[in-house]
Amino acid sequence: MLAKRIIPCLDVDGGRVVKGTNFVDIRDAGDPVELGKRYDEQGADELVFLDITASHERRDTVVDMVRRVAREIFIPFTVGGGIGTVPAIERILKAGADKVSLNTAAVQHPDIVRESSRYFGSQCIVIAVDAKRGGAGWEVYIHGGRTNTGIDALAWMKDVERMGAGEILLTSMDCDGTKAGYDLELLRAATSALSIPVIASGGAGTLSSIHDALAVGGADAALAASIFHYGTYTVRDVKDYLAARGIEVRY
Amino acid sequence: MIGIIDYGAGNIASVYNALTYIGQEARILRSADEIPSVDALVFPGQGSFGSMVDNLRSRGIFEPLRRQVEDGTPFLGICLGLQILFEGSEESPGYEGFGIMRGTCTRFTRGKVPQIGWNTVRPLGEGMPEGWAYFVNSYRVESSAHALALTDYYGDFVSAVRRDDVTAFQFHPEKSGPYGLSLLTWWFSCWQNE
């Protein structure tokens, strides 16, 4: 059967990884290729590169980064952050990324979900949803969490599934950065309403929180950033913990 | 020299990168005239079964490729590149594959479709190593006389086939980490010394 996936997320600015990393003996802690390889060696099932480059002039740095990563890392990887048009998606995929994640652009121009999934295949199109408790349940935020759209998150996820999205990367803004665990209620609501895979994000702090996101929340994959970057746990630690509790993981 | 067939539908950079990484010389082939010039062919299929066949036909590649494979040029199909070896697919009724292997591809009837993620590859014979591979597929071959490996997704399906010098994987070796690279090396070793 399919394994549950463990996915480290790396923030990238101008083609360089910018969050703290705790690898020993690393030559260049900002090199996406070198860091990606480390995670690959630890058993990461996929990688997510989140481009936080603010200036438009430096946006092409991400395409060059994708090209370099694709030459040396042979597990699937997703690129997200600031991708807003079909040609931009095409540039990233042609450079060697397996998937792109769309967030603000999908909310503002839902047609991009339909067009891109039809053109490139659903498996390439991940919709990132930043959800925060509010309204009747959870509401969708865009612009990196700064703008509340007032859109119901569950309804939105069902919409993008209908439009052809291949996966949902679901971040709980209430839990993100707290290390207090994922929002299990949100995950359960999403995974029971959807038939496409859901990647849990926001709140990973302990091994048991990752276990719960998968076993209780029903997520297909768990994404985490700081616990890996700061060396709290390796991907291997997480997998050992999960395997010991009967969750199928890939070694 | 290994030729990678590009019919304009997919990301072939990853396959090229993986072959280069394991030390193989590869080039990308975009027309039928180039097909006879290589020692072996890799065909990464993407899109739908019907659009793949349409694309190959409109580029004049379908028949030359089928002939070359039938004539014994070592061949590696990936994903839809496995399915094209069969007679057809439920995905695109009325479209014919190469028909080098008997049977048609059918859609998964249980679980999330497409299957996206890592699953285990269980070889049926000796030689091919066992491991976890990365799959993205909605359709599959349920059983085949040429099955080389099986995988379980709510029931077994055929994840690798082999008949003489024709080999194919339903998964993506170029995205399956060290295991995938080892399979590419294994495939290469199957025919290089002949």
Side-chain angles (χ1 to χ4, degrees), chain A residues 154-177:
Chain A
L154 287 173
W156 170 238
M157 289 187 271
K158 283 192 252 185
D159 280 348
V160 295
E161 175 177 36
R162 236 185 340 264
M163 289 189 277
E167 288 180 279
I168 301 286
L169 169 53
L170 178 54
T171 302
S172 158
M173 291 176 57
D174 301 293
C175 299
D176 201 20

Side-chain angles (χ1 to χ4, degrees), chain A residues 1-3 5 37 45-46 70-71 74-77 93 96-99 123 166 195-197 220 248-251, chain B residues 10-11 13-14 17-18 21 112-113 115-120 132 134 136 152-154 173-178 181:
Chain A
M1 288 307 298
L2 279 193
R5 291 170 279 158
K37 277 191 162 179
D45 297 306
E46 287 186 38
R71 274 201 288 263
F74 299 100
I75 55 174
F77 68 97
L93 295 177
D98 300 280
K99 311 174 190 183
Q123 79 285 347
S195 59
I196 53 176
D220 299 274
E248 182 110 79
V249 290
R250 156 195 169 248
Y251 278 103
Chain B
N11 171 12
S14 301
N17 287 337
Y21 192 82
K112 292 182 180 180
V113 181
Q115 164 186 222
I116 300 182
W118 295 83
N119 207 333
T120 44
W132 286 90
Y134 189 76
V136 179
D152 176 18
Y153 190 66
Y154 301 89
E174 77 281 12
K175 286 291 162 186
S176 299
L181 297 176

Side-chain angles (χ1 to χ4, degrees), chain A residues 192-244:
Chain A
S192 53
L194 301 168
S195 59
I196 53 176
V198 174
I199 303 164
S201 159
T206 59
L207 296 171
S208 68
S209 66
I210 294 178
H211 170 270
D212 291 350
L214 303 169
V216 182
D220 299 274
L223 178 137
S226 52
I227 63 160
F228 295 135
H229 300 326
Y230 297 107
T232 320
Y233 301 109
T234 64
V235 175
R236 182 67 192 242
D237 294 335
V238 173
K239 289 193 166 182
D240 287 347
Y241 183 91
L242 295 173

Side-chain angles (χ1 to χ4, degrees), chain A residues 10 17-23 26 28-30 35 39 228-231:
Chain A
L10 299 98
V17 178
V18 289
K19 259 191 192 160
T21 53
N22 204 27
F23 289 105
I26 198 154
D28 176 358
L35 283 166
Y39 285 127
F228 295 135
H229 300 326
Y230 297 107

Side-chain angles (χ1 to χ4, degrees), chain B residues 15-33:
Chain B
V15 174
Y16 177 84
N17 287 337
L19 288 170
T20 306
Y21 192 82
I22 62 166
Q24 296 307 323
E25 263 190 283
R27 55 184 263 243
I28 289 161
L29 311 181
R30 295 198 172 87
S31 76
D33 324 337

